[in-house]
PDB file of all heavy atoms in Angstrom:
ATOM      1  N   ASN Q 433       3.547  -2.832 -10.889  1.00  0.00           N
ATOM      2  CA  ASN Q 433       3.912  -1.419 -10.831  1.00  0.00           C
ATOM      3  C   ASN Q 433       4.226  -0.995 -12.267  1.00  0.00           C
ATOM      4  O   ASN Q 433       5.197  -1.481 -12.872  1.00  0.00           O
ATOM      5  CB  ASN Q 433       5.138  -1.239  -9.928  1.00  0.00           C
ATOM      6  CG  ASN Q 433       5.618   0.184  -9.860  1.00  0.00           C
ATOM      7  OD1 ASN Q 433       5.422   0.980 -10.767  1.00  0.00           O
ATOM      8  ND2 ASN Q 433       6.290   0.511  -8.761  1.00  0.00           N
ATOM      9  N   LEU Q 434       3.422  -0.106 -12.815  1.00  0.00           N
ATOM     10  CA  LEU Q 434       3.550   0.267 -14.225  1.00  0.00           C
ATOM     11  C   LEU Q 434       4.904   0.877 -14.562  1.00  0.00           C
ATOM     12  O   LEU Q 434       5.322   0.826 -15.716  1.00  0.00           O
ATOM     13  CB  LEU Q 434       2.439   1.234 -14.620  1.00  0.00           C
ATOM     14  CG  LEU Q 434       1.010   0.689 -14.519  1.00  0.00           C
ATOM     15  CD1 LEU Q 434       0.014   1.757 -14.913  1.00  0.00           C
ATOM     16  CD2 LEU Q 434       0.837  -0.567 -15.333  1.00  0.00           C
ATOM     17  N   THR Q 435       5.604   1.440 -13.583  1.00  0.00           N
ATOM     18  CA  THR Q 435       6.896   2.064 -13.873  1.00  0.00           C
ATOM     19  C   THR Q 435       8.072   1.122 -13.624  1.00  0.00           C
ATOM     20  O   THR Q 435       9.213   1.495 -13.889  1.00  0.00           O
ATOM     21  CB  THR Q 435       7.093   3.338 -13.030  1.00  0.00           C
ATOM     22  OG1 THR Q 435       7.088   2.989 -11.645  1.00  0.00           O
ATOM     23  CG2 THR Q 435       5.982   4.347 -13.310  1.00  0.00           C
ATOM     24  N   SER Q 436       7.818  -0.100 -13.170  1.00  0.00           N
ATOM     25  CA  SER Q 436       8.906  -1.025 -12.837  1.00  0.00           C
ATOM     26  C   SER Q 436       9.555  -1.655 -14.061  1.00  0.00           C
ATOM     27  O   SER Q 436      10.691  -2.093 -13.995  1.00  0.00           O
ATOM     28  CB  SER Q 436       8.408  -2.142 -11.912  1.00  0.00           C
ATOM     29  OG  SER Q 436       7.565  -3.046 -12.642  1.00  0.00           O
ATOM     30  N   GLY Q 437       8.819  -1.740 -15.162  1.00  0.00           N
ATOM     31  CA  GLY Q 437       9.342  -2.417 -16.357  1.00  0.00           C
ATOM     32  C   GLY Q 437       9.427  -3.923 -16.195  1.00  0.00           C
ATOM     33  O   GLY Q 437      10.099  -4.589 -16.987  1.00  0.00           O
ATOM     34  N   LEU Q 438       8.763  -4.499 -15.202  1.00  0.00           N
ATOM     35  CA  LEU Q 438       8.862  -5.926 -14.923  1.00  0.00           C
ATOM     36  C   LEU Q 438       7.776  -6.778 -15.584  1.00  0.00           C
ATOM     37  O   LEU Q 438       7.883  -7.992 -15.598  1.00  0.00           O
ATOM     38  CB  LEU Q 438       8.848  -6.162 -13.400  1.00  0.00           C
ATOM     39  CG  LEU Q 438      10.044  -5.575 -12.655  1.00  0.00           C
ATOM     40  CD1 LEU Q 438       9.834  -5.714 -11.137  1.00  0.00           C
ATOM     41  CD2 LEU Q 438      11.341  -6.255 -13.086  1.00  0.00           C
ATOM     42  N   ALA Q 439       6.747  -6.153 -16.110  1.00  0.00           N
ATOM     43  CA  ALA Q 439       5.692  -6.925 -16.792  1.00  0.00           C
ATOM     44  C   ALA Q 439       6.240  -7.409 -18.135  1.00  0.00           C
ATOM     45  O   ALA Q 439       7.096  -6.745 -18.750  1.00  0.00           O
ATOM     46  CB  ALA Q 439       4.460  -6.058 -16.993  1.00  0.00           C
ATOM     47  N   PRO Q 440       5.766  -8.542 -18.635  1.00  0.00           N
ATOM     48  CA  PRO Q 440       6.250  -9.067 -19.921  1.00  0.00           C
ATOM     49  C   PRO Q 440       5.993  -8.081 -21.074  1.00  0.00           C
ATOM     50  O   PRO Q 440       4.964  -7.402 -21.111  1.00  0.00           O
ATOM     51  CB  PRO Q 440       5.432 -10.337 -20.121  1.00  0.00           C
ATOM     52  CG  PRO Q 440       4.973 -10.736 -18.764  1.00  0.00           C
ATOM     53  CD  PRO Q 440       4.787  -9.444 -18.009  1.00  0.00           C
ATOM     54  N   ALA Q 441       6.946  -8.013 -21.987  1.00  0.00           N
ATOM     55  CA  ALA Q 441       6.792  -7.155 -23.175  1.00  0.00           C
ATOM     56  C   ALA Q 441       5.523  -7.518 -23.916  1.00  0.00           C
ATOM     57  O   ALA Q 441       5.219  -8.700 -24.096  1.00  0.00           O
ATOM     58  CB  ALA Q 441       8.011  -7.322 -24.084  1.00  0.00           C
ATOM     59  N   GLY Q 442       4.760  -6.524 -24.295  1.00  0.00           N
ATOM     60  CA  GLY Q 442       3.513  -6.745 -25.042  1.00  0.00           C
ATOM     61  C   GLY Q 442       2.288  -6.928 -24.175  1.00  0.00           C
ATOM     62  O   GLY Q 442       1.165  -6.875 -24.664  1.00  0.00           O
ATOM     63  N   SER Q 443       2.496  -7.154 -22.871  1.00  0.00           N
ATOM     64  CA  SER Q 443       1.327  -7.336 -22.002  1.00  0.00           C
ATOM     65  C   SER Q 443       0.678  -5.983 -21.720  1.00  0.00           C
ATOM     66  O   SER Q 443       1.302  -4.934 -21.866  1.00  0.00           O
ATOM     67  CB  SER Q 443       1.728  -8.027 -20.696  1.00  0.00           C
ATOM     68  OG  SER Q 443       2.596  -7.225 -19.922  1.00  0.00           O
ATOM     69  N   VAL Q 444      -0.600  -6.044 -21.344  1.00  0.00           N
ATOM     70  CA  VAL Q 444      -1.377  -4.843 -21.044  1.00  0.00           C
ATOM     71  C   VAL Q 444      -1.929  -4.966 -19.628  1.00  0.00           C
ATOM     72  O   VAL Q 444      -2.518  -5.997 -19.286  1.00  0.00           O
ATOM     73  CB  VAL Q 444      -2.540  -4.662 -22.038  1.00  0.00           C
ATOM     74  CG1 VAL Q 444      -3.405  -3.458 -21.664  1.00  0.00           C
ATOM     75  CG2 VAL Q 444      -2.036  -4.540 -23.468  1.00  0.00           C
ATOM     76  N   GLN Q 445      -1.740  -3.932 -18.826  1.00  0.00           N
ATOM     77  CA  GLN Q 445      -2.368  -3.876 -17.504  1.00  0.00           C
ATOM     78  C   GLN Q 445      -3.496  -2.848 -17.624  1.00  0.00           C
ATOM     79  O   GLN Q 445      -3.256  -1.692 -17.952  1.00  0.00           O
ATOM     80  CB  GLN Q 445      -1.357  -3.462 -16.434  1.00  0.00           C
ATOM     81  CG  GLN Q 445      -0.238  -4.492 -16.315  1.00  0.00           C
ATOM     82  CD  GLN Q 445       0.605  -4.305 -15.087  1.00  0.00           C
ATOM     83  OE1 GLN Q 445       0.082  -4.247 -13.971  1.00  0.00           O
ATOM     84  NE2 GLN Q 445       1.914  -4.255 -15.271  1.00  0.00           N
ATOM     85  N   SER Q 446      -4.707  -3.320 -17.378  1.00  0.00           N
ATOM     86  CA  SER Q 446      -5.854  -2.420 -17.565  1.00  0.00           C
ATOM     87  C   SER Q 446      -6.466  -2.015 -16.230  1.00  0.00           C
ATOM     88  O   SER Q 446      -5.957  -2.335 -15.157  1.00  0.00           O
ATOM     89  CB  SER Q 446      -6.885  -3.052 -18.504  1.00  0.00           C
ATOM     90  OG  SER Q 446      -7.542  -4.132 -17.903  1.00  0.00           O
ATOM     91  N   MET Q 447      -7.578  -1.314 -16.338  1.00  0.00           N
ATOM     92  CA  MET Q 447      -8.213  -0.668 -15.193  1.00  0.00           C
ATOM     93  C   MET Q 447      -8.630  -1.657 -14.083  1.00  0.00           C
ATOM     94  O   MET Q 447      -9.188  -2.704 -14.358  1.00  0.00           O
ATOM     95  CB  MET Q 447      -9.451   0.097 -15.641  1.00  0.00           C
ATOM     96  CG  MET Q 447      -9.151   1.203 -16.624  1.00  0.00           C
ATOM     97  SD  MET Q 447      -8.067   2.464 -15.990  1.00  0.00           S
ATOM     98  CE  MET Q 447      -9.246   3.379 -15.040  1.00  0.00           C
ATOM     99  N   THR Q 448      -8.330  -1.241 -12.860  1.00  0.00           N
ATOM    100  CA  THR Q 448      -8.821  -1.962 -11.694  1.00  0.00           C
ATOM    101  C   THR Q 448     -10.006  -1.173 -11.150  1.00  0.00           C
ATOM    102  O   THR Q 448     -10.333  -0.095 -11.631  1.00  0.00           O
ATOM    103  CB  THR Q 448      -7.734  -2.044 -10.600  1.00  0.00           C
ATOM    104  OG1 THR Q 448      -7.510  -0.731 -10.073  1.00  0.00           O
ATOM    105  CG2 THR Q 448      -6.444  -2.636 -11.151  1.00  0.00           C
ATOM    106  N   ASP Q 449     -10.625  -1.693 -10.113  1.00  0.00           N
ATOM    107  CA  ASP Q 449     -11.730  -0.965  -9.507  1.00  0.00           C
ATOM    108  C   ASP Q 449     -11.252   0.181  -8.627  1.00  0.00           C
ATOM    109  O   ASP Q 449     -12.073   0.949  -8.115  1.00  0.00           O
ATOM    110  CB  ASP Q 449     -12.642  -1.931  -8.736  1.00  0.00           C
ATOM    111  CG  ASP Q 449     -13.499  -2.762  -9.684  1.00  0.00           C
ATOM    112  OD1 ASP Q 449     -13.739  -2.309 -10.820  1.00  0.00           O
ATOM    113  OD2 ASP Q 449     -13.913  -3.858  -9.298  1.00  0.00           O
ATOM    114  N   TYR Q 450      -9.938   0.360  -8.507  1.00  0.00           N
ATOM    115  CA  TYR Q 450      -9.408   1.559  -7.864  1.00  0.00           C
ATOM    116  C   TYR Q 450      -9.405   2.730  -8.852  1.00  0.00           C
ATOM    117  O   TYR Q 450      -9.081   3.849  -8.479  1.00  0.00           O
ATOM    118  CB  TYR Q 450      -7.982   1.326  -7.356  1.00  0.00           C
ATOM    119  CG  TYR Q 450      -7.911   0.460  -6.127  1.00  0.00           C
ATOM    120  CD1 TYR Q 450      -7.275  -0.774  -6.146  1.00  0.00           C
ATOM    121  CD2 TYR Q 450      -8.463   0.886  -4.921  1.00  0.00           C
ATOM    122  CE1 TYR Q 450      -7.190  -1.559  -5.011  1.00  0.00           C
ATOM    123  CE2 TYR Q 450      -8.389   0.100  -3.775  1.00  0.00           C
ATOM    124  CZ  TYR Q 450      -7.752  -1.123  -3.826  1.00  0.00           C
ATOM    125  OH  TYR Q 450      -7.672  -1.909  -2.699  1.00  0.00           O
ATOM    126  N   GLY Q 451      -9.708   2.463 -10.132  1.00  0.00           N
ATOM    127  CA  GLY Q 451      -9.810   3.523 -11.133  1.00  0.00           C
ATOM    128  C   GLY Q 451      -8.552   3.777 -11.925  1.00  0.00           C
ATOM    129  O   GLY Q 451      -8.454   4.772 -12.634  1.00  0.00           O
ATOM    130  N   GLU Q 452      -7.593   2.858 -11.826  1.00  0.00           N
ATOM    131  CA  GLU Q 452      -6.364   3.002 -12.600  1.00  0.00           C
ATOM    132  C   GLU Q 452      -5.779   1.635 -12.915  1.00  0.00           C
ATOM    133  O   GLU Q 452      -6.090   0.654 -12.235  1.00  0.00           O
ATOM    134  CB  GLU Q 452      -5.349   3.863 -11.849  1.00  0.00           C
ATOM    135  CG  GLU Q 452      -5.046   3.386 -10.459  1.00  0.00           C
ATOM    136  CD  GLU Q 452      -4.200   4.380  -9.673  1.00  0.00           C
ATOM    137  OE1 GLU Q 452      -4.470   5.583  -9.730  1.00  0.00           O
ATOM    138  OE2 GLU Q 452      -3.264   3.917  -8.992  1.00  0.00           O
ATOM    139  N   PRO Q 453      -4.935   1.561 -13.959  1.00  0.00           N
ATOM    140  CA  PRO Q 453      -4.311   0.278 -14.283  1.00  0.00           C
ATOM    141  C   PRO Q 453      -3.165  -0.039 -13.320  1.00  0.00           C
ATOM    142  O   PRO Q 453      -2.688   0.829 -12.593  1.00  0.00           O
ATOM    143  CB  PRO Q 453      -3.796   0.494 -15.701  1.00  0.00           C
ATOM    144  CG  PRO Q 453      -3.660   1.958 -15.868  1.00  0.00           C
ATOM    145  CD  PRO Q 453      -4.641   2.602 -14.929  1.00  0.00           C
ATOM    146  N   GLY Q 454      -2.746  -1.303 -13.337  1.00  0.00           N
ATOM    147  CA  GLY Q 454      -1.670  -1.771 -12.469  1.00  0.00           C
ATOM    148  C   GLY Q 454      -2.250  -2.458 -11.238  1.00  0.00           C
ATOM    149  O   GLY Q 454      -3.461  -2.556 -11.059  1.00  0.00           O
ATOM    150  N   TYR Q 455      -1.359  -2.938 -10.405  1.00  0.00           N
ATOM    151  CA  TYR Q 455      -1.756  -3.678  -9.201  1.00  0.00           C
ATOM    152  C   TYR Q 455      -2.280  -2.749  -8.130  1.00  0.00           C
ATOM    153  O   TYR Q 455      -1.677  -1.710  -7.834  1.00  0.00           O
ATOM    154  CB  TYR Q 455      -0.544  -4.460  -8.675  1.00  0.00           C
ATOM    155  CG  TYR Q 455      -0.820  -5.218  -7.391  1.00  0.00           C
ATOM    156  CD1 TYR Q 455      -1.503  -6.427  -7.416  1.00  0.00           C
ATOM    157  CD2 TYR Q 455      -0.369  -4.757  -6.169  1.00  0.00           C
ATOM    158  CE1 TYR Q 455      -1.741  -7.141  -6.244  1.00  0.00           C
ATOM    159  CE2 TYR Q 455      -0.592  -5.466  -4.994  1.00  0.00           C
ATOM    160  CZ  TYR Q 455      -1.281  -6.655  -5.038  1.00  0.00           C
ATOM    161  OH  TYR Q 455      -1.514  -7.366  -3.889  1.00  0.00           O
ATOM    162  N   GLY Q 456      -3.389  -3.132  -7.527  1.00  0.00           N
ATOM    163  CA  GLY Q 456      -3.945  -2.462  -6.358  1.00  0.00           C
ATOM    164  C   GLY Q 456      -4.248  -3.535  -5.327  1.00  0.00           C
ATOM    165  O   GLY Q 456      -5.149  -4.349  -5.511  1.00  0.00           O
ATOM    166  N   GLY Q 457      -3.481  -3.602  -4.282  1.00  0.00           N
ATOM    167  CA  GLY Q 457      -3.579  -4.696  -3.306  1.00  0.00           C
ATOM    168  C   GLY Q 457      -4.861  -4.717  -2.498  1.00  0.00           C
ATOM    169  O   GLY Q 457      -5.699  -3.824  -2.583  1.00  0.00           O
ATOM    170  N   PRO Q 458      -5.009  -5.766  -1.693  1.00  0.00           N
ATOM    171  CA  PRO Q 458      -6.185  -5.908  -0.837  1.00  0.00           C
ATOM    172  C   PRO Q 458      -6.350  -4.746   0.122  1.00  0.00           C
ATOM    173  O   PRO Q 458      -5.378  -4.194   0.629  1.00  0.00           O
ATOM    174  CB  PRO Q 458      -5.884  -7.192  -0.046  1.00  0.00           C
ATOM    175  CG  PRO Q 458      -4.949  -7.967  -0.915  1.00  0.00           C
ATOM    176  CD  PRO Q 458      -4.109  -6.927  -1.592  1.00  0.00           C
ATOM    177  N   CYS Q 459      -7.598  -4.377   0.363  1.00  0.00           N
ATOM    178  CA  CYS Q 459      -7.940  -3.345   1.351  1.00  0.00           C
ATOM    179  C   CYS Q 459      -9.438  -3.424   1.632  1.00  0.00           C
ATOM    180  O   CYS Q 459     -10.203  -2.554   1.237  1.00  0.00           O
ATOM    181  CB  CYS Q 459      -7.555  -1.959   0.862  1.00  0.00           C
ATOM    182  SG  CYS Q 459      -7.804  -0.677   2.106  1.00  0.00           S
ATOM    183  N   PRO Q 460      -9.867  -4.494   2.312  1.00  0.00           N
ATOM    184  CA  PRO Q 460     -11.291  -4.625   2.592  1.00  0.00           C
ATOM    185  C   PRO Q 460     -11.736  -3.592   3.636  1.00  0.00           C
ATOM    186  O   PRO Q 460     -10.914  -3.045   4.365  1.00  0.00           O
ATOM    187  CB  PRO Q 460     -11.408  -6.040   3.138  1.00  0.00           C
ATOM    188  CG  PRO Q 460     -10.095  -6.293   3.789  1.00  0.00           C
ATOM    189  CD  PRO Q 460      -9.089  -5.574   2.919  1.00  0.00           C
ATOM    190  N   PRO Q 461     -13.029  -3.346   3.729  1.00  0.00           N
ATOM    191  CA  PRO Q 461     -13.517  -2.413   4.752  1.00  0.00           C
ATOM    192  C   PRO Q 461     -13.133  -2.877   6.157  1.00  0.00           C
ATOM    193  O   PRO Q 461     -13.081  -4.074   6.447  1.00  0.00           O
ATOM    194  CB  PRO Q 461     -15.031  -2.450   4.560  1.00  0.00           C
ATOM    195  CG  PRO Q 461     -15.233  -2.870   3.141  1.00  0.00           C
ATOM    196  CD  PRO Q 461     -14.115  -3.831   2.860  1.00  0.00           C
ATOM    197  N   GLN Q 462     -12.880  -1.901   7.018  1.00  0.00           N
ATOM    198  CA  GLN Q 462     -12.563  -2.171   8.425  1.00  0.00           C
ATOM    199  C   GLN Q 462     -13.680  -2.993   9.051  1.00  0.00           C
ATOM    200  O   GLN Q 462     -14.862  -2.710   8.827  1.00  0.00           O
ATOM    201  CB  GLN Q 462     -12.419  -0.830   9.152  1.00  0.00           C
ATOM    202  CG  GLN Q 462     -11.930  -0.942  10.579  1.00  0.00           C
ATOM    203  CD  GLN Q 462     -10.446  -1.267  10.651  1.00  0.00           C
ATOM    204  OE1 GLN Q 462      -9.660  -0.820   9.840  1.00  0.00           O
ATOM    205  NE2 GLN Q 462     -10.085  -2.067  11.621  1.00  0.00           N
ATOM    206  N   GLY Q 463     -13.315  -4.013   9.811  1.00  0.00           N
ATOM    207  CA  GLY Q 463     -14.284  -4.813  10.534  1.00  0.00           C
ATOM    208  C   GLY Q 463     -14.834  -5.991   9.762  1.00  0.00           C
ATOM    209  O   GLY Q 463     -15.559  -6.811  10.314  1.00  0.00           O
ATOM    210  N   HIS Q 464     -14.538  -6.098   8.460  1.00  0.00           N
ATOM    211  CA  HIS Q 464     -14.995  -7.245   7.681  1.00  0.00           C
ATOM    212  C   HIS Q 464     -14.196  -8.485   8.038  1.00  0.00           C
ATOM    213  O   HIS Q 464     -13.013  -8.388   8.383  1.00  0.00           O
ATOM    214  CB  HIS Q 464     -14.815  -6.980   6.177  1.00  0.00           C
ATOM    215  CG  HIS Q 464     -15.965  -6.256   5.564  1.00  0.00           C
ATOM    216  ND1 HIS Q 464     -16.423  -6.545   4.307  1.00  0.00           N
ATOM    217  CD2 HIS Q 464     -16.753  -5.262   6.015  1.00  0.00           C
ATOM    218  CE1 HIS Q 464     -17.429  -5.760   4.015  1.00  0.00           C
ATOM    219  NE2 HIS Q 464     -17.643  -4.951   5.037  1.00  0.00           N
ATOM    220  N   LYS Q 465     -14.833  -9.639   7.947  1.00  0.00           N
ATOM    221  CA  LYS Q 465     -14.090 -10.893   8.063  1.00  0.00           C
ATOM    222  C   LYS Q 465     -13.098 -10.919   6.891  1.00  0.00           C
ATOM    223  O   LYS Q 465     -13.283 -10.183   5.894  1.00  0.00           O
ATOM    224  CB  LYS Q 465     -15.033 -12.089   8.040  1.00  0.00           C
ATOM    225  CG  LYS Q 465     -15.736 -12.282   6.708  1.00  0.00           C
ATOM    226  CD  LYS Q 465     -16.616 -13.506   6.707  1.00  0.00           C
ATOM    227  CE  LYS Q 465     -17.197 -13.668   5.305  1.00  0.00           C
ATOM    228  NZ  LYS Q 465     -17.744 -14.954   5.061  1.00  0.00           N
TER     229      LYS Q 465
END
């Protein structure tokens, strides 16, 4: 969470495939194994 301040100092969180930096959890398509 980019606003949590919990990532190590100096680290960089870059773009995910959700289109923004930071954590984006699992969310596979409905019905997929």
Side-chain angles (χ1 to χ4, degrees):
N433 178 334
L434 298 179
T435 62
S436 72
L438 296 173
S443 65
V444 176
Q445 297 193 53
S446 70
M447 298 299 281
T448 68
D449 285 335
Y450 287 116
E452 54 189 43
Y455 178 78
C459 186
Q462 187 74 35
H464 274 218
K465 66 178 184 164

